Amino acid sequence: MILVNRETRVLVQGITGREGQFHTQQMLSYGTQIVAGVTPGKGGAEVLGVPVYDTVKEAVARHKVDASIIFVPAPMAADAALEAAHAGIPLVVLITEGIPTLDMVRAVEEIRALGVRLIGGNCPGIISAEETKIGIMPGHVFKRGKVGLISRSGTLTYEAAAALSQAGLGTTTTVGIGGDPVIGTTFKDLLPLFNEDPETEAVVLIGEIGGSDEEEAAEWVKAHMKKPVVGFIGGRSAPKGKRMGHAGAIIMGNVGTPESKLKAFAEAGIPVADTIDEIVELVKKALG
């Protein structure tokens, strides 16, 4: 597995809000080590036995924190990610959707310069199966196994993980990178980690129309990947110029078309599934 395990200590930003409290409970039930929470003005309180601080800086002064997960409303979410990064937290998971694009452009550039890894925004988070969950995904569908999973789509992530679990293949770590036009971590950033992970024997890459992340990932796979990769492209029947679901899932001119992604995958030797069930069949075939 990559990025997170049962030893990872987690801070929750926005822990006193409805979403923050609900998913803190879900993560604690999964076994995640939540050591502190932050909500400005609520310092000194407790949520589900977790101490709450006014700022991230105060929280990290009292606790060792390896990762932060953010449930802060969209207008403040990018600043919350920057606060975590400047406090020295090496991994930031940004769940919030609808963050203004220019806010994300500024935050992603600054966070990257600090050497901090940002996952999201508008993502379901990270889960290392049967170890820890820093996200909002339904934990029970993720069974420990040998397939790394990276996805732009939350729902397709859950469906693929459930299918891999039911087939007895299971997952190592699953990362939902988010479907917005500007995100912190891309497919290409994560593939080298899975390539070096001894528990991961194959990788499933679930992309969708829009942007060029899938093409860049395919180039990296073609040049460097030592393990089999299986692909899936969502939104292949969407018309040009019409946004489908995610803000980033839009074909502009000749950029982000399903044809360009399928061509890039084919040139990299990545078989592409037409259905979730076919993902399982292609993984089985790739693993022999």
Side-chain angles (χ1 to χ4, degrees):
M1 53 188 56
I2 64 169
L3 295 174
V4 296
N5 57 37
R6 69 175 81 249
E7 306 300 325
T8 305
R9 295 167 177 252
V10 180
L11 171 77
V12 180
Q13 290 174 253
I15 193 171
T16 59
R18 185 183 62 181
E19 297 296 320
Q21 289 196 48
F22 175 78
H23 288 293
T24 296
Q25 175 67 74
Q26 297 297 306
M27 288 187 284
L28 287 168
S29 297
Y30 198 76
T32 304
Q33 284 199 60
I34 304 214
V35 297
V38 166
T39 298
K42 299 288 180 67
E46 276 195 0
V47 170
L48 303 168
V50 176
V52 179
Y53 298 88
D54 287 320
T55 67
V56 176
K57 188 176 180 181
E58 290 175 37
V60 299
R62 297 287 190 90
H63 305 272
K64 183 180 185 301
V65 177
D66 304 306
S68 178
I69 182 168
I70 298 175
F71 297 99
V72 170
M76 289 85 79
D79 283 340
L82 284 165
E83 183 185 0
H86 280 286
I89 299 175
L91 175 64
V92 179
V93 180
L94 182 51
I95 302 297
T96 309
E97 64 178 303
I99 303 168
T101 301
L102 289 179
D103 287 2
M104 281 303 294
V105 169
R106 174 177 59 89
V108 165
E109 184 177 352
E110 193 170 331
I111 289 169
R112 194 170 288 156
L114 291 167
V116 170
R117 183 180 296 281
L118 172 66
I119 307 290
N122 189 16
C123 78
I126 310 171
I127 183 166
S128 285
E130 301 179 32
E131 291 252 343
T132 194
K133 176 176 84 158
I134 307 177
I136 61 174
M137 54 280 281
H140 65 281
V141 306
F142 294 81
K143 302 301 182 189
R144 184 77 169 262
K146 52 190 172 185
V147 181
L149 178 57
I150 320 172
S151 175
R152 284 172 67 181
S153 162
T155 304
L156 291 175
T157 306
Y158 315 151
E159 292 184 7
L164 290 165
S165 295
Q166 288 167 7
L169 293 166
T171 52
T172 52
T173 299
T174 298
V175 186
I177 58 175
D180 277 357
V182 180
I183 55 174
T185 296
T186 66
F187 294 116
K188 184 181 171 184
D189 297 327
L190 295 169
L191 285 167
L193 305 184
F194 281 121
N195 207 26
E196 299 302 322
D197 176 35
E199 294 182 53
T200 299
E201 297 180 20
V203 176
V204 171
L205 192 159
I206 299 179
E208 59 187 14
I209 60 167
S212 59
D213 283 358
E214 290 81 359
E215 288 88 337
E216 291 171 16
E219 284 184 18
W220 196 92
V221 168
K222 187 177 179 181
H224 305 288
M225 198 71 186
K226 298 178 289 188
K227 300 174 183 179
V229 178
V230 170
F232 182 93
I233 301 295
R236 285 157 63 175
S237 60
K240 289 185 178 181
K242 184 174 179 58
R243 182 169 66 83
M244 303 296 284
H246 289 149
I250 182 169
I251 299 169
M252 302 292 284
N254 292 319
V255 177
T257 65
E259 291 79 13
S260 67
K261 296 178 189 300
L262 293 172
K263 180 173 181 289
F265 279 8
E267 289 175 355
I270 301 172
V272 178
D274 290 325
T275 65
I276 295 296
D277 288 340
E278 196 176 350
I279 289 176
V280 172
E281 296 309 312
L282 290 175
V283 170
K284 284 182 177 176
K285 185 177 178 182
L287 292 174

mmCIF file with all atom_site columns, all heavy atoms in Angstrom, residues 11-12 15 17 27 30 47-48 61-62 68 74 86 97 100 102 123 125 156 158 161 178 203 238 260 268 279:
data_model
loop_
_atom_site.group_PDB
_atom_site.id
_atom_site.type_symbol
_atom_site.label_atom_id
_atom_site.label_alt_id
_atom_site.label_comp_id
_atom_site.label_asym_id
_atom_site.label_entity_id
_atom_site.label_seq_id
_atom_site.pdbx_PDB_ins_code
_atom_site.Cartn_x
_atom_site.Cartn_y
_atom_site.Cartn_z
_atom_site.occupancy
_atom_site.B_iso_or_equiv
_atom_site.pdbx_formal_charge
_atom_site.auth_seq_id
_atom_site.auth_comp_id
_atom_site.auth_asym_id
_atom_site.auth_atom_id
_atom_site.pdbx_PDB_model_num
ATOM 1   N N   . LEU A 1 11  ? -5.603  14.635 11.221  1.00 0.00 ? 11  LEU A N   1
ATOM 2   C CA  . LEU A 1 11  ? -6.289  15.832 11.709  1.00 0.00 ? 11  LEU A CA  1
ATOM 3   C C   . LEU A 1 11  ? -7.507  16.070 10.822  1.00 0.00 ? 11  LEU A C   1
ATOM 4   O O   . LEU A 1 11  ? -7.423  15.890 9.600   1.00 0.00 ? 11  LEU A O   1
ATOM 5   C CB  . LEU A 1 11  ? -5.342  17.033 11.619  1.00 0.00 ? 11  LEU A CB  1
ATOM 6   C CG  . LEU A 1 11  ? -5.923  18.426 11.874  1.00 0.00 ? 11  LEU A CG  1
ATOM 7   C CD1 . LEU A 1 11  ? -6.127  18.636 13.371  1.00 0.00 ? 11  LEU A CD1 1
ATOM 8   C CD2 . LEU A 1 11  ? -5.013  19.496 11.313  1.00 0.00 ? 11  LEU A CD2 1
ATOM 9   N N   . VAL A 1 12  ? -8.638  16.482 11.414  1.00 0.00 ? 12  VAL A N   1
ATOM 10  C CA  . VAL A 1 12  ? -9.845  16.786 10.640  1.00 0.00 ? 12  VAL A CA  1
ATOM 11  C C   . VAL A 1 12  ? -10.122 18.288 10.720  1.00 0.00 ? 12  VAL A C   1
ATOM 12  O O   . VAL A 1 12  ? -10.425 18.806 11.791  1.00 0.00 ? 12  VAL A O   1
ATOM 13  C CB  . VAL A 1 12  ? -11.064 16.002 11.162  1.00 0.00 ? 12  VAL A CB  1
ATOM 14  C CG1 . VAL A 1 12  ? -12.301 16.345 10.321  1.00 0.00 ? 12  VAL A CG1 1
ATOM 15  C CG2 . VAL A 1 12  ? -10.802 14.498 11.134  1.00 0.00 ? 12  VAL A CG2 1
ATOM 16  N N   . ILE A 1 15  ? -14.130 19.788 11.703  1.00 0.00 ? 15  ILE A N   1
ATOM 17  C CA  . ILE A 1 15  ? -14.640 18.601 12.419  1.00 0.00 ? 15  ILE A CA  1
ATOM 18  C C   . ILE A 1 15  ? -15.981 18.850 13.105  1.00 0.00 ? 15  ILE A C   1
ATOM 19  O O   . ILE A 1 15  ? -16.733 17.898 13.341  1.00 0.00 ? 15  ILE A O   1
ATOM 20  C CB  . ILE A 1 15  ? -13.591 18.106 13.450  1.00 0.00 ? 15  ILE A CB  1
ATOM 21  C CG1 . ILE A 1 15  ? -13.954 16.713 13.970  1.00 0.00 ? 15  ILE A CG1 1
ATOM 22  C CG2 . ILE A 1 15  ? -13.430 19.109 14.591  1.00 0.00 ? 15  ILE A CG2 1
ATOM 23  C CD1 . ILE A 1 15  ? -12.862 16.072 14.817  1.00 0.00 ? 15  ILE A CD1 1
ATOM 24  N N   . GLY A 1 17  ? -18.556 20.576 11.898  1.00 0.00 ? 17  GLY A N   1
ATOM 25  C CA  . GLY A 1 17  ? -19.673 20.673 10.952  1.00 0.00 ? 17  GLY A CA  1
ATOM 26  C C   . GLY A 1 17  ? -20.370 19.327 10.774  1.00 0.00 ? 17  GLY A C   1
ATOM 27  O O   . GLY A 1 17  ? -19.876 18.289 11.217  1.00 0.00 ? 17  GLY A O   1
ATOM 28  N N   . MET A 1 27  ? -14.739 7.291  9.956   1.00 0.00 ? 27  MET A N   1
ATOM 29  C CA  . MET A 1 27  ? -13.303 6.988  9.891   1.00 0.00 ? 27  MET A CA  1
ATOM 30  C C   . MET A 1 27  ? -12.838 6.320  11.184  1.00 0.00 ? 27  MET A C   1
ATOM 31  O O   . MET A 1 27  ? -12.052 5.363  11.157  1.00 0.00 ? 27  MET A O   1
ATOM 32  C CB  . MET A 1 27  ? -12.500 8.263  9.606   1.00 0.00 ? 27  MET A CB  1
ATOM 33  C CG  . MET A 1 27  ? -12.662 8.774  8.177   1.00 0.00 ? 27  MET A CG  1
ATOM 34  S SD  . MET A 1 27  ? -11.563 10.172 7.773   1.00 0.00 ? 27  MET A SD  1
ATOM 35  C CE  . MET A 1 27  ? -12.386 11.514 8.616   1.00 0.00 ? 27  MET A CE  1
ATOM 36  N N   . TYR A 1 30  ? -13.704 2.786  11.170  1.00 0.00 ? 30  TYR A N   1
ATOM 37  C CA  . TYR A 1 30  ? -12.872 2.000  10.262  1.00 0.00 ? 30  TYR A CA  1
ATOM 38  C C   . TYR A 1 30  ? -11.509 1.682  10.870  1.00 0.00 ? 30  TYR A C   1
ATOM 39  O O   . TYR A 1 30  ? -10.798 0.792  10.411  1.00 0.00 ? 30  TYR A O   1
ATOM 40  C CB  . TYR A 1 30  ? -12.686 2.752  8.938   1.00 0.00 ? 30  TYR A CB  1
ATOM 41  C CG  . TYR A 1 30  ? -12.214 1.859  7.805   1.00 0.00 ? 30  TYR A CG  1
ATOM 42  C CD1 . TYR A 1 30  ? -13.090 0.994  7.162   1.00 0.00 ? 30  TYR A CD1 1
ATOM 43  C CD2 . TYR A 1 30  ? -10.877 1.866  7.402   1.00 0.00 ? 30  TYR A CD2 1
ATOM 44  C CE1 . TYR A 1 30  ? -12.665 0.170  6.143   1.00 0.00 ? 30  TYR A CE1 1
ATOM 45  C CE2 . TYR A 1 30  ? -10.442 1.037  6.376   1.00 0.00 ? 30  TYR A CE2 1
ATOM 46  C CZ  . TYR A 1 30  ? -11.340 0.188  5.757   1.00 0.00 ? 30  TYR A CZ  1
ATOM 47  O OH  . TYR A 1 30  ? -10.909 -0.645 4.745   1.00 0.00 ? 30  TYR A OH  1
ATOM 48  N N   . VAL A 1 47  ? -15.093 16.516 19.930  1.00 0.00 ? 47  VAL A N   1
ATOM 49  C CA  . VAL A 1 47  ? -16.055 15.869 19.042  1.00 0.00 ? 47  VAL A CA  1
ATOM 50  C C   . VAL A 1 47  ? -15.714 14.388 19.012  1.00 0.00 ? 47  VAL A C   1
ATOM 51  O O   . VAL A 1 47  ? -14.616 14.000 18.617  1.00 0.00 ? 47  VAL A O   1
ATOM 52  C CB  . VAL A 1 47  ? -15.970 16.462 17.613  1.00 0.00 ? 47  VAL A CB  1
ATOM 53  C CG1 . VAL A 1 47  ? -16.791 15.614 16.641  1.00 0.00 ? 47  VAL A CG1 1
ATOM 54  C CG2 . VAL A 1 47  ? -16.463 17.896 17.597  1.00 0.00 ? 47  VAL A CG2 1
ATOM 55  N N   . LEU A 1 48  ? -16.643 13.556 19.496  1.00 0.00 ? 48  LEU A N   1
ATOM 56  C CA  . LEU A 1 48  ? -16.439 12.106 19.513  1.00 0.00 ? 48  LEU A CA  1
ATOM 57  C C   . LEU A 1 48  ? -15.151 11.732 20.261  1.00 0.00 ? 48  LEU A C   1
ATOM 58  O O   . LEU A 1 48  ? -14.444 10.794 19.891  1.00 0.00 ? 48  LEU A O   1
ATOM 59  C CB  . LEU A 1 48  ? -16.407 11.557 18.082  1.00 0.00 ? 48  LEU A CB  1
ATOM 60  C CG  . LEU A 1 48  ? -17.650 11.862 17.233  1.00 0.00 ? 48  LEU A CG  1
ATOM 61  C CD1 . LEU A 1 48  ? -17.399 11.550 15.769  1.00 0.00 ? 48  LEU A CD1 1
ATOM 62  C CD2 . LEU A 1 48  ? -18.846 11.069 17.751  1.00 0.00 ? 48  LEU A CD2 1
ATOM 63  N N   . ALA A 1 61  ? 1.079   21.581 17.295  1.00 0.00 ? 61  ALA A N   1
ATOM 64  C CA  . ALA A 1 61  ? 1.966   21.829 18.438  1.00 0.00 ? 61  ALA A CA  1
ATOM 65  C C   . ALA A 1 61  ? 1.696   20.824 19.555  1.00 0.00 ? 61  ALA A C   1
ATOM 66  O O   . ALA A 1 61  ? 2.576   20.536 20.374  1.00 0.00 ? 61  ALA A O   1
ATOM 67  C CB  . ALA A 1 61  ? 1.772   23.254 18.951  1.00 0.00 ? 61  ALA A CB  1
ATOM 68  N N   . ARG A 1 62  ? 0.478   20.268 19.594  1.00 0.00 ? 62  ARG A N   1
ATOM 69  C CA  . ARG A 1 62  ? 0.094   19.323 20.653  1.00 0.00 ? 62  ARG A CA  1
ATOM 70  C C   . ARG A 1 62  ? 0.116   17.869 20.210  1.00 0.00 ? 62  ARG A C   1
ATOM 71  O O   . ARG A 1 62  ? 0.159   16.971 21.046  1.00 0.00 ? 62  ARG A O   1
ATOM 72  C CB  . ARG A 1 62  ? -1.336  19.649 21.131  1.00 0.00 ? 62  ARG A CB  1
ATOM 73  C CG  . ARG A 1 62  ? -1.477  21.025 21.763  1.00 0.00 ? 62  ARG A CG  1
ATOM 74  C CD  . ARG A 1 62  ? -0.842  21.057 23.152  1.00 0.00 ? 62  ARG A CD  1
ATOM 75  N NE  . ARG A 1 62  ? -1.168  22.270 23.874  1.00 0.00 ? 62  ARG A NE  1
ATOM 76  C CZ  . ARG A 1 62  ? -2.226  22.402 24.657  1.00 0.00 ? 62  ARG A CZ  1
ATOM 77  N NH1 . ARG A 1 62  ? -3.069  21.391 24.809  1.00 0.00 ? 62  ARG A NH1 1
ATOM 78  N NH2 . ARG A 1 62  ? -2.451  23.526 25.291  1.00 0.00 ? 62  ARG A NH2 1
ATOM 79  N N   . SER A 1 68  ? -3.965  15.534 6.960   1.00 0.00 ? 68  SER A N   1
ATOM 80  C CA  . SER A 1 68  ? -5.170  16.294 7.299   1.00 0.00 ? 68  SER A CA  1
ATOM 81  C C   . SER A 1 68  ? -6.249  16.013 6.272   1.00 0.00 ? 68  SER A C   1
ATOM 82  O O   . SER A 1 68  ? -5.960  15.864 5.079   1.00 0.00 ? 68  SER A O   1
ATOM 83  C CB  . SER A 1 68  ? -4.869  17.795 7.324   1.00 0.00 ? 68  SER A CB  1
ATOM 84  O OG  . SER A 1 68  ? -6.057  18.520 7.598   1.00 0.00 ? 68  SER A OG  1
ATOM 85  N N   . ALA A 1 74  ? -16.675 25.572 0.582   1.00 0.00 ? 74  ALA A N   1
ATOM 86  C CA  . ALA A 1 74  ? -15.866 25.869 -0.610  1.00 0.00 ? 74  ALA A CA  1
ATOM 87  C C   . ALA A 1 74  ? -15.150 27.229 -0.583  1.00 0.00 ? 74  ALA A C   1
ATOM 88  O O   . ALA A 1 74  ? -13.981 27.304 -0.964  1.00 0.00 ? 74  ALA A O   1
ATOM 89  C CB  . ALA A 1 74  ? -16.743 25.756 -1.855  1.00 0.00 ? 74  ALA A CB  1
ATOM 90  N N   . HIS A 1 86  ? 1.231   24.871 5.330   1.00 0.00 ? 86  HIS A N   1
ATOM 91  C CA  . HIS A 1 86  ? 2.187   25.761 5.998   1.00 0.00 ? 86  HIS A CA  1
ATOM 92  C C   . HIS A 1 86  ? 2.481   25.311 7.432   1.00 0.00 ? 86  HIS A C   1
ATOM 93  O O   . HIS A 1 86  ? 3.511   25.692 7.997   1.00 0.00 ? 86  HIS A O   1
ATOM 94  C CB  . HIS A 1 86  ? 1.658   27.190 5.985   1.00 0.00 ? 86  HIS A CB  1
ATOM 95  C CG  . HIS A 1 86  ? 1.881   27.901 4.681   1.00 0.00 ? 86  HIS A CG  1
ATOM 96  N ND1 . HIS A 1 86  ? 3.118   28.362 4.279   1.00 0.00 ? 86  HIS A ND1 1
ATOM 97  C CD2 . HIS A 1 86  ? 1.024   28.200 3.673   1.00 0.00 ? 86  HIS A CD2 1
ATOM 98  C CE1 . HIS A 1 86  ? 3.010   28.924 3.080   1.00 0.00 ? 86  HIS A CE1 1
ATOM 99  N NE2 . HIS A 1 86  ? 1.750   28.829 2.688   1.00 0.00 ? 86  HIS A NE2 1
ATOM 100 N N   . GLU A 1 97  ? -16.192 20.098 -2.494  1.00 0.00 ? 97  GLU A N   1
ATOM 101 C CA  . GLU A 1 97  ? -16.406 20.316 -3.916  1.00 0.00 ? 97  GLU A CA  1
ATOM 102 C C   . GLU A 1 97  ? -16.876 21.750 -4.151  1.00 0.00 ? 97  GLU A C   1
ATOM 103 O O   . GLU A 1 97  ? -17.311 22.431 -3.219  1.00 0.00 ? 97  GLU A O   1
ATOM 104 C CB  . GLU A 1 97  ? -17.422 19.331 -4.481  1.00 0.00 ? 97  GLU A CB  1
ATOM 105 C CG  . GLU A 1 97  ? -18.810 19.447 -3.918  1.00 0.00 ? 97  GLU A CG  1
ATOM 106 C CD  . GLU A 1 97  ? -19.772 18.467 -4.570  1.00 0.00 ? 97  GLU A CD  1
ATOM 107 O OE1 . GLU A 1 97  ? -19.897 18.512 -5.813  1.00 0.00 ? 97  GLU A OE1 1
ATOM 108 O OE2 . GLU A 1 97  ? -20.392 17.686 -3.835  1.00 0.00 ? 97  GLU A OE2 1
ATOM 109 N N   . PRO A 1 100 ? -13.698 27.519 -5.855  1.00 0.00 ? 100 PRO A N   1
ATOM 110 C CA  . PRO A 1 100 ? -13.414 28.383 -7.016  1.00 0.00 ? 100 PRO A CA  1
ATOM 111 C C   . PRO A 1 100 ? -12.096 27.994 -7.685  1.00 0.00 ? 100 PRO A C   1
ATOM 112 O O   . PRO A 1 100 ? -11.085 27.772 -7.013  1.00 0.00 ? 100 PRO A O   1
ATOM 113 C CB  . PRO A 1 100 ? -13.339 29.778 -6.386  1.00 0.00 ? 100 PRO A CB  1
ATOM 114 C CG  . PRO A 1 100 ? -14.215 29.689 -5.176  1.00 0.00 ? 100 PRO A CG  1
ATOM 115 C CD  . PRO A 1 100 ? -14.006 28.288 -4.645  1.00 0.00 ? 100 PRO A CD  1
ATOM 116 N N   . LEU A 1 102 ? -9.847  29.586 -9.470  1.00 0.00 ? 102 LEU A N   1
ATOM 117 C CA  . LEU A 1 102 ? -8.665  30.424 -9.261  1.00 0.00 ? 102 LEU A CA  1
ATOM 118 C C   . LEU A 1 102 ? -8.078  30.209 -7.865  1.00 0.00 ? 102 LEU A C   1
ATOM 119 O O   . LEU A 1 102 ? -6.856  30.291 -7.680  1.00 0.00 ? 102 LEU A O   1
ATOM 120 C CB  . LEU A 1 102 ? -9.012  31.904 -9.476  1.00 0.00 ? 102 LEU A CB  1
ATOM 121 C CG  . LEU A 1 102 ? -9.281  32.306 -10.927 1.00 0.00 ? 102 LEU A CG  1
ATOM 122 C CD1 . LEU A 1 102 ? -9.642  33.790 -11.027 1.00 0.00 ? 102 LEU A CD1 1
ATOM 123 C CD2 . LEU A 1 102 ? -8.070  32.010 -11.810 1.00 0.00 ? 102 LEU A CD2 1
ATOM 124 N N   . CYS A 1 123 ? -12.803 15.281 -4.024  1.00 0.00 ? 123 CYS A N   1
ATOM 125 C CA  . CYS A 1 123 ? -12.398 13.876 -4.144  1.00 0.00 ? 123 CYS A CA  1
ATOM 126 C C   . CYS A 1 123 ? -12.961 13.075 -2.971  1.00 0.00 ? 123 CYS A C   1
ATOM 127 O O   . CYS A 1 123 ? -13.334 13.644 -1.951  1.00 0.00 ? 123 CYS A O   1
ATOM 128 C CB  . CYS A 1 123 ? -10.867 13.771 -4.161  1.00 0.00 ? 123 CYS A CB  1
ATOM 129 S SG  . CYS A 1 123 ? -10.109 13.915 -2.529  1.00 0.00 ? 123 CYS A SG  1
ATOM 130 N N   . GLY A 1 125 ? -11.131 10.830 -1.327  1.00 0.00 ? 125 GLY A N   1
ATOM 131 C CA  . GLY A 1 125 ? -10.050 10.577 -0.374  1.00 0.00 ? 125 GLY A CA  1
ATOM 132 C C   . GLY A 1 125 ? -9.212  9.352  -0.693  1.00 0.00 ? 125 GLY A C   1
ATOM 133 O O   . GLY A 1 125 ? -9.148  8.895  -1.841  1.00 0.00 ? 125 GLY A O   1
ATOM 134 N N   . LEU A 1 156 ? -17.578 5.484  -9.425  1.00 0.00 ? 156 LEU A N   1
ATOM 135 C CA  . LEU A 1 156 ? -16.919 4.396  -10.151 1.00 0.00 ? 156 LEU A CA  1
ATOM 136 C C   . LEU A 1 156 ? -15.820 3.753  -9.298  1.00 0.00 ? 156 LEU A C   1
ATOM 137 O O   . LEU A 1 156 ? -15.549 2.559  -9.420  1.00 0.00 ? 156 LEU A O   1
ATOM 138 C CB  . LEU A 1 156 ? -16.345 4.902  -11.477 1.00 0.00 ? 156 LEU A CB  1
ATOM 139 C CG  . LEU A 1 156 ? -17.369 5.293  -12.534 1.00 0.00 ? 156 LEU A CG  1
ATOM 140 C CD1 . LEU A 1 156 ? -16.675 5.883  -13.757 1.00 0.00 ? 156 LEU A CD1 1
ATOM 141 C CD2 . LEU A 1 156 ? -18.209 4.080  -12.943 1.00 0.00 ? 156 LEU A CD2 1
ATOM 142 N N   . TYR A 1 158 ? -15.980 3.256  -6.045  1.00 0.00 ? 158 TYR A N   1
ATOM 143 C CA  . TYR A 1 158 ? -16.640 2.307  -5.138  1.00 0.00 ? 158 TYR A CA  1
ATOM 144 C C   . TYR A 1 158 ? -17.071 1.050  -5.897  1.00 0.00 ? 158 TYR A C   1
ATOM 145 O O   . TYR A 1 158 ? -16.925 -0.072 -5.406  1.00 0.00 ? 158 TYR A O   1
ATOM 146 C CB  . TYR A 1 158 ? -17.870 2.936  -4.467  1.00 0.00 ? 158 TYR A CB  1
ATOM 147 C CG  . TYR A 1 158 ? -17.670 4.328  -3.933  1.00 0.00 ? 158 TYR A CG  1
ATOM 148 C CD1 . TYR A 1 158 ? -18.724 5.229  -3.854  1.00 0.00 ? 158 TYR A CD1 1
ATOM 149 C CD2 . TYR A 1 158 ? -16.406 4.762  -3.499  1.00 0.00 ? 158 TYR A CD2 1
ATOM 150 C CE1 . TYR A 1 158 ? -18.546 6.511  -3.364  1.00 0.00 ? 158 TYR A CE1 1
ATOM 151 C CE2 . TYR A 1 158 ? -16.224 6.043  -3.015  1.00 0.00 ? 158 TYR A CE2 1
ATOM 152 C CZ  . TYR A 1 158 ? -17.285 6.920  -2.953  1.00 0.00 ? 158 TYR A CZ  1
ATOM 153 O OH  . TYR A 1 158 ? -17.105 8.184  -2.486  1.00 0.00 ? 158 TYR A OH  1
ATOM 154 N N   . ALA A 1 161 ? -13.995 -1.055 -6.768  1.00 0.00 ? 161 ALA A N   1
ATOM 155 C CA  . ALA A 1 161 ? -13.445 -1.697 -5.574  1.00 0.00 ? 161 ALA A CA  1
ATOM 156 C C   . ALA A 1 161 ? -14.329 -2.865 -5.130  1.00 0.00 ? 161 ALA A C   1
ATOM 157 O O   . ALA A 1 161 ? -13.825 -3.934 -4.765  1.00 0.00 ? 161 ALA A O   1
ATOM 158 C CB  . ALA A 1 161 ? -13.311 -0.680 -4.444  1.00 0.00 ? 161 ALA A CB  1
ATOM 159 N N   . GLY A 1 178 ? -10.167 13.118 -7.681  1.00 0.00 ? 178 GLY A N   1
ATOM 160 C CA  . GLY A 1 178 ? -11.087 14.230 -7.892  1.00 0.00 ? 178 GLY A CA  1
ATOM 161 C C   . GLY A 1 178 ? -11.311 14.535 -9.362  1.00 0.00 ? 178 GLY A C   1
ATOM 162 O O   . GLY A 1 178 ? -10.443 14.286 -10.200 1.00 0.00 ? 178 GLY A O   1
ATOM 163 N N   . VAL A 1 203 ? -2.466  -2.294 -11.439 1.00 0.00 ? 203 VAL A N   1
ATOM 164 C CA  . VAL A 1 203 ? -3.095  -1.003 -11.158 1.00 0.00 ? 203 VAL A CA  1
ATOM 165 C C   . VAL A 1 203 ? -4.291  -0.810 -12.083 1.00 0.00 ? 203 VAL A C   1
ATOM 166 O O   . VAL A 1 203 ? -4.208  -1.102 -13.282 1.00 0.00 ? 203 VAL A O   1
ATOM 167 C CB  . VAL A 1 203 ? -2.098  0.159  -11.357 1.00 0.00 ? 203 VAL A CB  1
ATOM 168 C CG1 . VAL A 1 203 ? -2.787  1.510  -11.155 1.00 0.00 ? 203 VAL A CG1 1
ATOM 169 C CG2 . VAL A 1 203 ? -0.916  0.021  -10.396 1.00 0.00 ? 203 VAL A CG2 1
ATOM 170 N N   . ALA A 1 238 ? -20.371 11.258 -24.135 1.00 0.00 ? 238 ALA A N   1
ATOM 171 C CA  . ALA A 1 238 ? -20.740 12.664 -23.941 1.00 0.00 ? 238 ALA A CA  1
ATOM 172 C C   . ALA A 1 238 ? -20.464 13.491 -25.193 1.00 0.00 ? 238 ALA A C   1
ATOM 173 O O   . ALA A 1 238 ? -19.438 13.315 -25.841 1.00 0.00 ? 238 ALA A O   1
ATOM 174 C CB  . ALA A 1 238 ? -19.947 13.242 -22.767 1.00 0.00 ? 238 ALA A CB  1
ATOM 175 N N   . SER A 1 260 ? -8.699  10.376 -27.976 1.00 0.00 ? 260 SER A N   1
ATOM 176 C CA  . SER A 1 260 ? -7.286  10.647 -27.678 1.00 0.00 ? 260 SER A CA  1
ATOM 177 C C   . SER A 1 260 ? -6.819  9.827  -26.477 1.00 0.00 ? 260 SER A C   1
ATOM 178 O O   . SER A 1 260 ? -5.674  9.367  -26.425 1.00 0.00 ? 260 SER A O   1
ATOM 179 C CB  . SER A 1 260 ? -7.075  12.143 -27.421 1.00 0.00 ? 260 SER A CB  1
ATOM 180 O OG  . SER A 1 260 ? -7.713  12.566 -26.238 1.00 0.00 ? 260 SER A OG  1
ATOM 181 N N   . ALA A 1 268 ? 0.251   2.629  -25.089 1.00 0.00 ? 268 ALA A N   1
ATOM 182 C CA  . ALA A 1 268 ? 0.996   2.247  -23.886 1.00 0.00 ? 268 ALA A CA  1
ATOM 183 C C   . ALA A 1 268 ? 0.749   0.793  -23.496 1.00 0.00 ? 268 ALA A C   1
ATOM 184 O O   . ALA A 1 268 ? 1.276   0.320  -22.486 1.00 0.00 ? 268 ALA A O   1
ATOM 185 C CB  . ALA A 1 268 ? 0.599   3.160  -22.721 1.00 0.00 ? 268 ALA A CB  1
ATOM 186 N N   . ILE A 1 279 ? -13.411 -4.765 -16.056 1.00 0.00 ? 279 ILE A N   1
ATOM 187 C CA  . ILE A 1 279 ? -12.171 -4.393 -15.347 1.00 0.00 ? 279 ILE A CA  1
ATOM 188 C C   . ILE A 1 279 ? -11.613 -5.615 -14.629 1.00 0.00 ? 279 ILE A C   1
ATOM 189 O O   . ILE A 1 279 ? -10.421 -5.928 -14.708 1.00 0.00 ? 279 ILE A O   1
ATOM 190 C CB  . ILE A 1 279 ? -12.443 -3.262 -14.333 1.00 0.00 ? 279 ILE A CB  1
ATOM 191 C CG1 . ILE A 1 279 ? -12.730 -1.939 -15.048 1.00 0.00 ? 279 ILE A CG1 1
ATOM 192 C CG2 . ILE A 1 279 ? -11.249 -3.097 -13.378 1.00 0.00 ? 279 ILE A CG2 1
ATOM 193 C CD1 . ILE A 1 279 ? -13.108 -0.801 -14.113 1.00 0.00 ? 279 ILE A CD1 1
#
